[in-house]
Amino acid sequence: DTGVSQDPRHKITKRGQNVTFRCDPISEHNRLYWYRQTLGQGPEFLTYFQNEAQLEKSRLLSDRFSAERPKGSFSTLEIQRTEQGDSAMYLCASSSYTPQETQYFGPGTRLLVL
Amino acid sequence: AQTVTQSQPEMSVQEAETVTLSCTYDTSENNYYLFWYKQPPSRQMILVIRQEAYKQQNATENRFSVNFQKAAKSFSLKISDSQLGDTAMYFCAFIHITGANSKLTFGKGITLSVRP
């Protein structure tokens, strides 16, 4: 069990560029979650997958955001045409099958949009 | 609406002393779990303690314990014998365990500083 990993850890981009983040969950965890955390705030839910199926998306997830989890393993979160308001920490978490199982978080990807 | 309120933005405690972090929440559901997560500076979020809402007994994990008052929708965290390594942001969160809703709802967090 190597924990949840995320790549890259930091990303600086210019407004209007596309960025993609990757999350590798704990092996055998069926559920994978994406959250966004802005400075001084708690994480806010973006979306989650059960295996390869994306089961819920927050209203925070605009059309510029897309997430995938092919084959139910790693996941990617892409932001198209980035805006300065997208600057935040993007956290990934994973858990076992049932909703009450503890979610284990990765170190996050800190995005800065200039 | 599902909300979590942590009204104290910052707290400070002397090393070896005891500190209590408060949290209230609002939900219309009856089946849920409550969590306290710790986020040290520039490090990842880790679970401190969890409480099943159907259990009356308060959860305890070593120096960490909770005071869960279901009727009042209150879920406070007590840290005994505070250590310098306890310095972090602490987030209260809950999750419903019925239906398709599986997201954690977090409070804004509280910054705890342990003084040597």
Side-chain angles (χ1 to χ4, degrees):
Chain A
D1 183 353
T2 57
V4 179
S5 61
Q6 293 187 245
D7 184 69
R9 296 289 305 277
H10 303 273
K11 179 70 177 179
I12 301 175
T13 190
K14 293 182 179 179
R15 188 175 51 188
Q17 298 294 306
N18 299 342
V19 294
T20 299
F21 310 141
R22 176 180 171 125
C23 170
D24 286 89
I26 293 172
S27 58
E28 299 179 355
H29 272 187
N30 303 92
R31 293 182 171 227
L32 187 148
Y33 307 81
W34 286 99
Y35 294 85
R36 182 172 69 185
Q37 184 179 20
T38 53
L39 199 61
Q41 302 293 318
E44 296 174 293
F45 171 79
L46 292 178
T47 188
Y48 95 93
F49 293 83
Q50 183 169 303
N51 298 313
E52 66 275 7
Q54 187 174 18
L55 296 186
E56 187 175 351
K57 292 193 290 186
S58 163
R59 284 171 291 179
L60 292 174
L61 215 64
S62 74
D63 292 345
R64 297 183 297 105
F65 288 71
S66 63
E68 294 182 342
R69 193 184 182 197
K71 303 179 182 178
S73 55
F74 71 92
S75 176
T76 58
L77 178 68
E78 180 183 17
I79 309 175
Q80 295 182 329
R81 306 181 303 281
T82 53
E83 302 173 355
Q84 289 185 325
D86 297 331
S87 295
M89 175 77 86
Y90 290 85
L91 297 170
C92 177
S94 70
S95 70
S96 297
Y97 181 75
T98 54
Q100 60 264 41
E101 293 301 319
T102 297
Q103 293 183 24
Y104 295 89
F105 283 81
T109 294
R110 185 171 294 282
L111 173 67
L112 178 61
V113 182
L114 302 176
Chain B
Q2 306 160 16
T3 59
V4 177
T5 301
Q6 294 180 254
S7 57
Q8 309 151 303
E10 295 181 5
M11 288 193 75
S12 179
V13 64
Q14 193 75 33
E15 192 176 10
E17 298 292 309
T18 295
V19 64
T20 297
L21 312 182
S22 65
C23 171
T24 58
Y25 60 93
D26 188 23
T27 178
S28 57
E29 299 286 333
N30 200 41
N31 297 316
Y32 52 89
Y33 282 30
L34 294 157
F35 303 85
W36 278 96
Y37 279 89
K38 167 186 176 181
Q39 189 175 41
S42 301
R43 294 178 61 186
Q44 68 194 77
M45 195 167 314
I46 59 174
L47 178 70
V48 175
I49 198 166
R50 57 182 264 163
Q51 172 82 41
E52 294 86 345
Y54 64 86
K55 290 186 177 179
Q56 292 186 340
Q57 186 173 6
N58 289 325
T60 299
E61 287 288 344
N62 301 312
R63 298 183 295 108
F64 300 88
S65 61
V66 299
N67 182 5
F68 173 46
Q69 302 290 329
K70 190 173 183 178
K73 295 182 180 175
S74 171
F75 183 60
S76 61
L77 174 69
K78 185 172 79 172
I79 306 174
S80 303
D81 185 25
S82 297
Q83 300 176 0
L84 296 178
D86 295 333
T87 293
M89 278 202 78
Y90 287 81
F91 293 96
C92 177
F94 76 83
I95 189 169
H96 294 145
I97 58 171
T98 55
N101 189 341
S102 291
K103 65 180 181 182
L104 279 167
T105 300
F106 286 87
K108 289 187 175 181
I110 176 172
T111 300
L112 176 67
S113 300
V114 180
R115 306 186 304 274

